[in-house]
Amino acid sequence: MLITDVQERTVRALRRVAPVTDELGRRFAAAGEEIALVGGPVRDAMLGRLQTDLDFTTSARPEVTERLLKGWADATWDIGRAFGTIGCRRGDWQVEITTYRSEAYDASSRKPAVQYGDSLVGDLERRDFTVNAMALSLPGEQLEDPFGGIVDLAEKRLRTPGTPEQSFSDDPLRMMRAARFAAQLGFAVAPEVVAAMTDMAERITIVSAERVRDELVKLVCAADPVRGLRLLVETGLAEHVLPELPALALERDEHHRHKDVYEHTLTVLEQSIDLEDRLGGGPDFTARFAALMHDVGKPRTRRFLDDGSVTFHHHDVVGAKLTRKRMQALRFSRDQTDAVAQLVEQHLRFHGYGSGEWTDSAVRRYVRDAGDQLQRLHVLTRADCTTRNKRKAERLRRTYDDLEARIERLAEEEGRAALRPDLDGNQIMTILGIGPGREVGEAYRHLLELRLDHGPMAEADAAAALREWAAARGL
């Protein structure tokens, strides 16, 4: 990437953002305050990927910023006031303006202690990487690049403004952010930065689970998450934030045969990403994380057999439990945790299909058990084929094509409603002449089993089956 190319892209991006930057620059200058577009938006402008979220840094204190935004912003909010940040919206633009600051962790803190700074250069010096330590002073649009960020951007390199040890001491989450930017931007991480990440990996443990989680989500949803994940493993950071991943690098025994589970997992993740158009396109964290975690039960279930083979019986069930435990530790929502754990637990179900021996009842149960994760399960199951045997891979693909076709055919023949009994709870109570209670639930589950075994039934047939079931129970 040439610096002239960077400059041309920046000029084009600035033309688009001028309605915001020009007016803010004039307002703050008239009040005797400095303001500059800073950090990610400057970097993204130079990369030709500027979004509608804009970050500014200013000499003004939050109360002054709030006053200067009145009459210009469509709406303002101060949820970040404790960190010196005032947010606002102007048309389609989301703006955050933060007072010059410095922040650092002490040895036992989980949150940064924020102090206001007094200069733009001082503010840039405290930022994570040189490519994020550039600013455009307003209203004159003067590039401020005291740490060589534009050269690093052109050479696709991640360095820190000061020493990486100082940067990571100030905020240990920056070590994960290095991996995330490598994954998002395809940048190489400077050797001294990698060395500091390795030496200081344990320092990540003082960062809150929520911040680690958010950074992990961004990494997994990046353009090339495998690049970032490898860096986490190689530096030892993964041992503290996602220990199940490096645990997949099982020791190899020359007398026993099994795939390299770690490399297999990263390949499954890449293949899952290639299939995301089935899910509507765009990064799908649930599908990607399920691909990353689908085999985490293997280290605990590995058994060597006398014939030289290796088994991992029930690694799907064990893996689901480990996945749930890890996601709970990282404070993921219950719904997201349930979805990923369900996919991990069900990722082997397809292999019972053989070459199409399942009955329609078994296919219905496959759909019922997958629930709203069916499309993601399709993606995970297909991505989980990493064999180099082209004939075997083609056979598996055709077999899964057949299963999906059967699912579609049954859905068309039986209606696309969710798999439910042919009678609801009120109808059950009316037909049996009973009130709410345990028997209604048992009858409902019986009718659901009939629905799965035989497909839809006419209401009269379902009522007759219900009476027969009730009579056998003495109801």
Side-chain angles (χ1 to χ4, degrees):
M1 188 189 306
L2 299 175
I3 290 181
T4 53
D5 295 333
V6 172
Q7 292 169 331
E8 289 175 5
R9 279 197 293 268
T10 305
V11 169
R12 287 195 297 269
L14 290 177
R15 290 196 192 105
R16 187 163 67 90
V17 79
V20 175
T21 55
D22 289 354
E23 182 61 24
L24 280 177
R26 286 193 292 269
R27 280 176 171 259
F28 278 73
E33 302 285 359
E34 298 174 1
I35 189 169
L37 185 68
V38 71
V42 177
R43 177 200 70 220
D44 289 343
M46 293 179 174
L47 291 172
R49 44 177 278 174
L50 182 65
Q51 305 298 313
T52 56
D53 294 336
L54 301 177
D55 295 328
F56 296 84
T57 187
T58 180
S59 59
R61 295 296 191 259
E63 61 275 11
V64 175
T65 295
E66 207 167 26
R67 175 171 55 81
L68 292 175
L69 291 176
K70 286 183 179 178
W72 178 80
D74 298 329
T76 61
W77 51 89
D78 65 352
I79 192 171
R81 181 183 290 274
F83 296 95
T85 300
I86 300 296
C88 72
R89 176 176 54 81
R90 168 78 173 192
D92 294 332
W93 300 97
Q94 299 287 331
V95 173
E96 286 193 349
I97 304 176
T98 302
T99 304
Y100 296 155
R101 70 187 191 191
S102 60
E103 60 186 37
Y105 282 82
D106 62 34
S108 60
S109 173
R110 284 184 173 268
K111 294 182 180 180
V114 176
Q115 295 180 335
Y116 292 141
D118 56 10
S119 73
L120 175 58
V121 172
D123 184 88
L124 296 178
E125 187 176 17
R126 56 156 281 275
R127 293 178 180 266
D128 50 9
F129 302 104
T130 60
V131 295
N132 296 327
M134 297 181 285
L136 286 168
S137 295
L138 302 174
E141 296 179 353
Q142 175 68 39
L143 177 64
E144 305 291 342
D145 181 22
F147 305 104
I150 193 169
V151 174
D152 287 336
L153 193 74
E155 296 182 357
K156 296 187 175 182
R157 177 178 56 212
L158 278 179
R159 291 189 307 111
T160 53
T163 67
E165 290 80 8
Q166 182 60 53
S167 181
F168 298 155
S169 292
D170 289 347
D171 185 352
L173 190 67
R174 291 173 176 176
M175 294 186 286
M176 285 191 68
R177 208 172 289 156
R180 190 245 295 183
F181 283 131
Q184 281 184 334
L185 304 175
F187 283 16
V189 182
E192 68 274 13
V193 175
V194 174
M197 292 168 66
T198 305
D199 292 342
M200 302 177 66
E202 189 176 3
R203 180 85 167 146
I204 194 70
T205 58
I206 73 164
V207 180
S208 69
E210 291 82 0
R211 293 185 74 212
V212 169
R213 174 202 64 208
D214 292 347
E215 199 61 45
L216 183 63
V217 170
K218 292 174 183 177
L219 192 162
V220 171
C221 290
D224 184 8
V226 168
R227 185 186 191 117
L229 291 167
R230 286 190 186 279
L231 185 58
L232 290 184
V233 172
E234 291 163 4
T235 57
L237 279 163
E239 293 284 354
H240 304 287
V241 299
L242 194 64
E244 295 78 9
L245 183 58
L248 293 175
L250 301 175
E251 292 182 9
R252 306 301 296 273
D253 187 320
E254 63 181 6
H255 301 295
H256 296 90
R257 303 182 300 272
H258 66 83
K259 287 182 178 178
D260 184 321
V261 184
Y262 173 68
E263 291 297 334
H264 163 76
T265 294
L266 296 181
T267 300
V268 172
L269 173 57
E270 290 176 327
Q271 294 184 167
S272 176
I273 293 170
D274 291 340
L275 293 169
E276 278 184 337
D277 58 334
R278 286 170 155 259
L279 304 176
D284 188 302
F285 175 78
T286 299
R288 293 187 181 197
F289 203 59
L292 189 62
M293 302 294 284
H294 79 284
D295 273 348
V296 296
K298 281 190 171 180
R300 292 196 181 183
T301 58
R302 182 172 62 162
R303 299 292 182 270
F304 296 116
L305 302 184
D306 293 339
D307 64 359
S309 61
V310 180
T311 65
F312 302 97
H313 293 314
H314 307 302
H315 77 268
D316 46 347
V317 177
V318 173
K321 291 178 180 178
L322 292 172
T323 297
R324 188 176 297 279
K325 184 177 179 181
R326 177 55 48 201
M327 294 186 73
Q328 288 170 344
L330 290 171
R331 306 291 192 270
F332 278 94
S333 70
R334 177 178 296 179
D335 288 347
Q336 205 161 33
T337 300
D338 288 345
V340 176
Q342 177 184 347
L343 289 166
V344 172
E345 185 166 359
Q346 294 179 354
H347 81 274
L348 291 180
R349 286 281 298 276
F350 160 71
H351 295 285
Y353 188 71
S355 55
E357 292 86 357
W358 277 1
T359 63
D360 285 351
S361 172
V363 174
R364 293 188 193 100
R365 281 180 164 78
Y366 186 80
V367 174
R368 188 271 309 271
D369 293 346
D372 60 2
Q373 298 304 314
L374 180 61
Q375 294 305 316
R376 290 190 176 109
L377 185 58
H378 288 335
V379 166
L380 176 57
T381 304
R382 288 180 179 276
D384 196 22
C385 175
T386 62
T387 178
R388 295 179 181 178
N389 185 321
K390 292 183 179 180
R391 184 175 299 177
K392 182 179 179 181
E394 179 60 22
R395 184 175 72 250
L396 287 170
R397 185 192 63 77
R398 287 198 307 268
T399 304
Y400 205 83
D401 285 346
D402 178 69
L403 175 57
E404 285 200 59
R406 287 183 66 186
I407 291 171
E408 286 297 312
R409 186 176 69 251
L410 286 172
E412 290 173 2
E413 292 173 354
E414 300 175 2
R416 292 188 173 273
L419 285 174
R420 293 189 295 266
D422 297 291
L423 301 173
D424 62 25
N426 290 327
Q427 291 171 304
I428 290 170
M429 288 188 289
T430 299
I431 291 169
L432 298 183
I434 60 176
R438 176 173 54 82
E439 291 86 358
V440 178
E442 293 175 352
Y444 187 93
R445 286 189 289 274
H446 174 69
L447 291 173
L448 178 57
E449 290 299 314
L450 292 179
R451 171 76 166 78
L452 291 168
D453 286 338
H454 306 294
M457 301 170 66
E459 185 174 332
D461 292 336
L466 175 62
R467 291 190 183 97
E468 181 181 348
W469 171 85
R473 294 175 58 86
L475 293 179

Coordinates of all heavy atoms in Angstrom, one line a residue, residues 13-28 35-37 41 50-56 68-69 72-74 88-97 138-139 141:
A13 N -12.8 10.4 1.7 CA -13.6 10.2 2.9 C -13.9 11.5 3.7 O -15.0 11.7 4.2 CB -12.9 9.2 3.9
L14 N -13.0 12.4 3.7 CA -13.2 13.7 4.4 C -14.2 14.5 3.7 O -15.0 15.3 4.3 CB -11.9 14.4 4.5 CG -10.9 13.8 5.5 CD1 -9.6 14.6 5.5 CD2 -11.4 13.8 6.9
R15 N -14.3 14.4 2.4 CA -15.4 15.1 1.7 C -16.8 14.7 2.2 O -17.7 15.5 2.3 CB -15.3 14.9 0.2 CG -14.1 15.6 -0.5 CD -14.2 15.6 -2.0 NE -13.0 16.0 -2.6 CZ -12.2 15.2 -3.3 NH1 -12.6 13.9 -3.4 NH2 -11.1 15.6 -3.9
R16 N -16.9 13.4 2.4 CA -18.2 12.8 2.8 C -18.5 13.2 4.2 O -19.7 13.5 4.6 CB -18.1 11.3 2.7 CG -19.5 10.6 3.0 CD -19.5 9.2 2.5 NE -18.6 8.3 3.2 CZ -18.9 7.6 4.3 NH1 -20.2 7.7 4.8 NH2 -18.1 6.9 4.9
V17 N -17.5 13.4 5.1 CA -17.8 13.7 6.5 C -17.7 15.2 6.8 O -18.0 15.6 7.9 CB -16.8 12.9 7.4 CG1 -15.4 13.6 7.4 CG2 -17.3 12.7 8.8
A18 N -17.4 16.0 5.8 CA -17.2 17.4 6.0 C -18.4 18.1 6.7 O -18.2 19.0 7.5 CB -16.9 18.1 4.6
P19 N -19.7 17.8 6.4 CA -20.8 18.5 7.0 C -20.7 18.3 8.6 O -21.2 19.2 9.3 CB -22.0 17.7 6.5 CG -21.6 17.2 5.1 CD -20.2 16.8 5.3
V20 N -20.1 17.3 9.1 CA -20.0 17.2 10.5 C -18.7 17.8 11.0 O -18.7 18.6 11.9 CB -20.0 15.7 10.9 CG1 -19.7 15.5 12.4 CG2 -21.3 15.0 10.5
T21 N -17.6 17.5 10.4 CA -16.3 18.0 10.9 C -16.2 19.5 10.8 O -15.6 20.2 11.7 CB -15.1 17.3 10.2 OG1 -15.3 17.5 8.8 CG2 -15.1 15.8 10.5
D22 N -16.6 20.1 9.7 CA -16.5 21.5 9.5 C -17.2 22.3 10.5 O -16.7 23.2 11.1 CB -17.0 21.9 8.1 CG -16.1 21.4 7.0 OD1 -15.0 20.9 7.3 OD2 -16.5 21.6 5.8
E23 N -18.5 21.9 10.8 CA -19.3 22.7 11.7 C -18.8 22.5 13.2 O -18.7 23.4 14.0 CB -20.8 22.3 11.7 CG -21.7 23.0 12.6 CD -21.7 24.5 12.3 OE1 -21.4 24.9 11.1 OE2 -22.1 25.3 13.2
L24 N -18.4 21.3 13.5 CA -17.9 21.0 14.9 C -16.6 21.8 15.1 O -16.3 22.4 16.1 CB -17.6 19.5 15.1 CG -18.9 18.7 15.5 CD1 -18.5 17.2 15.6 CD2 -19.5 19.2 16.8
G25 N -15.7 21.8 14.1 CA -14.5 22.5 14.2 C -14.7 24.0 14.4 O -14.0 24.6 15.3
R26 N -15.6 24.6 13.7 CA -15.9 26.0 13.9 C -16.5 26.3 15.3 O -16.1 27.3 15.9 CB -16.9 26.5 12.8 CG -16.2 26.7 11.4 CD -17.1 27.4 10.5 NE -18.3 26.7 10.1 CZ -18.4 25.9 9.1 NH1 -17.4 25.7 8.3 NH2 -19.5 25.3 8.8
R27 N -17.4 25.5 15.7 CA -18.0 25.7 17.0 C -17.0 25.6 18.2 O -17.0 26.5 19.1 CB -19.1 24.7 17.3 CG -20.4 25.0 16.6 CD -21.4 23.8 16.7 NE -22.7 24.2 16.2 CZ -23.7 24.7 17.0 NH1 -23.6 24.7 18.3 NH2 -24.9 25.0 16.4
F28 N -16.1 24.6 18.1 CA -15.2 24.5 19.2 C -14.1 25.6 19.2 O -13.7 26.1 20.2 CB -14.6 23.1 19.2 CG -15.5 22.0 19.9 CD1 -16.6 21.6 19.3 CD2 -15.1 21.5 21.1 CE1 -17.5 20.7 19.9 CE2 -15.9 20.6 21.8 CZ -17.1 20.2 21.1
I35 N -10.4 20.6 18.9 CA -11.1 19.4 18.6 C -10.5 18.7 17.4 O -10.0 19.4 16.5 CB -12.6 19.6 18.4 CG1 -13.4 18.3 18.3 CG2 -12.9 20.4 17.2 CD1 -14.9 18.4 18.4
A36 N -10.5 17.4 17.4 CA -9.9 16.6 16.3 C -10.6 15.3 16.1 O -11.0 14.7 17.1 CB -8.4 16.4 16.6
L37 N -10.8 15.0 14.8 CA -11.2 13.6 14.5 C -10.1 12.7 14.8 O -8.9 12.9 14.5 CB -11.6 13.5 13.0 CG -12.2 12.2 12.5 CD1 -13.6 12.0 13.1 CD2 -12.2 12.2 11.0
P41 N -11.8 6.2 13.2 CA -12.3 6.9 12.0 C -11.2 7.4 11.1 O -11.3 7.4 9.8 CB -13.2 8.0 12.6 CG -13.6 7.5 13.9 CD -12.4 6.8 14.4
L50 N -14.5 4.1 5.9 CA -15.1 5.0 7.0 C -16.6 4.7 7.1 O -17.3 4.6 6.1 CB -14.9 6.5 6.6 CG -15.4 7.5 7.6 CD1 -14.6 7.4 8.9 CD2 -15.3 8.9 7.1
Q51 N -17.0 4.5 8.4 CA -18.4 4.2 8.7 C -19.1 5.5 9.2 O -18.5 6.6 9.0 CB -18.5 3.1 9.7 CG -17.8 1.8 9.4 CD -18.3 1.2 8.1 OE1 -19.6 1.0 8.0 NE2 -17.5 0.8 7.2
T52 N -20.3 5.4 9.8 CA -21.0 6.6 10.2 C -20.7 6.9 11.7 O -21.3 7.8 12.2 CB -22.5 6.4 10.0 OG1 -22.9 5.2 10.6 CG2 -22.8 6.3 8.5
D53 N -19.9 6.1 12.4 CA -19.5 6.4 13.8 C -18.2 7.2 13.8 O -17.2 6.7 13.3 CB -19.4 5.1 14.6 CG -20.7 4.3 14.7 OD1 -21.7 4.9 14.6 OD2 -20.6 3.1 14.9
L54 N -18.3 8.3 14.4 CA -17.1 9.2 14.4 C -16.7 9.5 15.8 O -17.5 9.8 16.7 CB -17.5 10.5 13.7 CG -17.9 10.4 12.2 CD1 -18.3 11.8 11.7 CD2 -16.9 9.8 11.4
D55 N -15.4 9.4 16.1 CA -14.8 9.7 17.4 C -14.0 11.0 17.3 O -13.2 11.2 16.4 CB -13.9 8.6 17.9 CG -14.7 7.3 18.1 OD1 -15.9 7.4 18.5 OD2 -14.1 6.2 17.9
F56 N -14.2 11.9 18.3 CA -13.4 13.1 18.4 C -12.7 13.2 19.7 O -13.2 12.7 20.7 CB -14.3 14.3 18.1 CG -14.9 14.4 16.8 CD1 -16.1 13.7 16.5 CD2 -14.4 15.2 15.8 CE1 -16.7 13.8 15.2 CE2 -14.9 15.3 14.5 CZ -16.1 14.6 14.2
L68 N -21.7 23.1 23.8 CA -21.4 23.4 22.4 C -22.3 22.6 21.4 O -22.4 23.0 20.2 CB -19.9 23.2 22.1 CG -19.0 24.2 22.8 CD1 -17.6 23.8 22.6 CD2 -19.3 25.6 22.4
L69 N -22.8 21.5 21.8 CA -23.6 20.6 20.9 C -25.0 21.0 20.9 O -25.7 20.6 19.9 CB -23.5 19.1 21.4 CG -22.1 18.4 21.2 CD1 -22.2 17.0 21.8 CD2 -21.7 18.4 19.8
W72 N -27.1 22.1 17.6 CA -26.4 21.4 16.5 C -26.8 20.0 16.4 O -27.2 19.5 15.3 CB -24.9 21.6 16.5 CG -24.2 20.9 15.4 CD1 -24.1 21.4 14.1 CD2 -23.6 19.6 15.4 NE1 -23.4 20.5 13.3 CE2 -23.1 19.4 14.1 CE3 -23.4 18.6 16.3 CZ2 -22.4 18.2 13.7 CZ3 -22.8 17.5 16.0 CH2 -22.3 17.3 14.7
A73 N -26.7 19.2 17.5 CA -27.0 17.8 17.5 C -28.5 17.6 17.5 O -29.3 18.3 18.1 CB -26.4 17.1 18.7
D74 N -28.9 16.5 16.8 CA -30.4 16.1 16.9 C -30.7 15.5 18.2 O -31.8 15.6 18.7 CB -30.6 15.1 15.8 CG -30.4 15.6 14.4 OD1 -30.6 16.9 14.2 OD2 -30.0 14.9 13.5
C88 N -23.6 12.1 20.7 CA -24.7 12.8 20.0 C -25.0 12.2 18.7 O -24.2 11.4 18.1 CB -24.5 14.3 19.9 SG -23.2 14.7 18.7
R89 N -26.1 12.5 18.1 CA -26.5 12.1 16.7 C -26.8 13.3 15.9 O -27.4 14.3 16.4 CB -27.7 11.2 16.8 CG -28.2 10.8 15.4 CD -29.4 9.8 15.5 NE -30.4 10.3 16.3 CZ -31.4 11.2 15.9 NH1 -31.3 11.6 14.6 NH2 -32.3 11.6 16.7
R90 N -26.2 13.3 14.7 CA -26.5 14.4 13.7 C -26.8 13.7 12.4 O -25.9 13.2 11.7 CB -25.3 15.3 13.6 CG -25.3 16.3 12.4 CD -26.2 17.5 12.7 NE -26.1 18.5 11.6 CZ -26.5 19.7 11.7 NH1 -27.1 20.1 12.8 NH2 -26.4 20.5 10.7
G91 N -28.1 13.7 12.0 CA -28.5 13.0 10.8 C -28.2 11.5 11.0 O -28.5 10.9 12.0
D92 N -27.4 11.0 10.0 CA -27.0 9.5 10.0 C -25.8 9.3 10.8 O -25.3 8.2 11.0 CB -26.9 9.0 8.6 CG -28.2 9.0 7.8 OD1 -29.2 8.9 8.5 OD2 -28.1 9.1 6.6
W93 N -25.1 10.4 11.3 CA -23.8 10.2 12.0 C -24.0 10.1 13.5 O -24.7 10.8 14.1 CB -23.0 11.5 11.7 CG -22.7 11.7 10.2 CD1 -23.4 12.5 9.4 CD2 -21.7 11.1 9.4 NE1 -22.9 12.5 8.1 CE2 -21.9 11.6 8.1 CE3 -20.7 10.1 9.7 CZ2 -21.0 11.2 7.1 CZ3 -19.9 9.7 8.7 CH2 -20.1 10.2 7.4
Q94 N -23.3 9.1 14.0 CA -23.2 8.9 15.5 C -21.8 9.5 15.9 O -20.8 9.0 15.4 CB -23.3 7.4 15.8 CG -24.6 6.8 15.4 CD -25.8 7.2 16.3 OE1 -25.6 7.5 17.5 NE2 -27.0 7.2 15.7
V95 N -21.8 10.4 16.8 CA -20.6 11.1 17.2 C -20.4 10.9 18.7 O -21.3 11.0 19.5 CB -20.8 12.6 16.9 CG1 -19.6 13.4 17.5 CG2 -21.0 12.8 15.4
E96 N -19.1 10.7 19.0 CA -18.6 10.7 20.4 C -17.5 11.6 20.6 O -16.5 11.6 19.8 CB -18.2 9.3 20.9 CG -19.4 8.3 21.1 CD -19.0 7.1 21.9 OE1 -17.8 6.8 22.0 OE2 -19.9 6.3 22.3
I97 N -17.6 12.5 21.5 CA -16.5 13.5 21.8 C -16.0 13.3 23.2 O -16.7 13.4 24.1 CB -17.1 14.9 21.6 CG1 -17.7 15.1 20.2 CG2 -16.0 16.0 21.8 CD1 -18.4 16.4 19.9
L138 N -9.2 20.1 13.7 CA -10.2 20.8 13.0 C -10.2 22.3 13.5 O -9.8 22.5 14.7 CB -11.6 20.2 13.3 CG -11.7 18.7 12.9 CD1 -13.0 18.1 13.3 CD2 -11.5 18.6 11.4
P139 N -10.7 23.2 12.7 CA -11.3 23.0 11.4 C -10.3 22.9 10.2 O -10.8 22.8 9.1 CB -12.2 24.2 11.3 CG -11.5 25.3 12.0 CD -10.8 24.6 13.2
E141 N -8.2 20.6 9.3 CA -7.9 19.2 8.8 C -6.4 19.0 8.6 O -5.9 18.5 7.6 CB -8.6 19.0 7.4 CG -10.2 19.0 7.6 CD -10.9 18.8 6.2 OE1 -10.2 18.8 5.2 OE2 -12.1 18.6 6.3

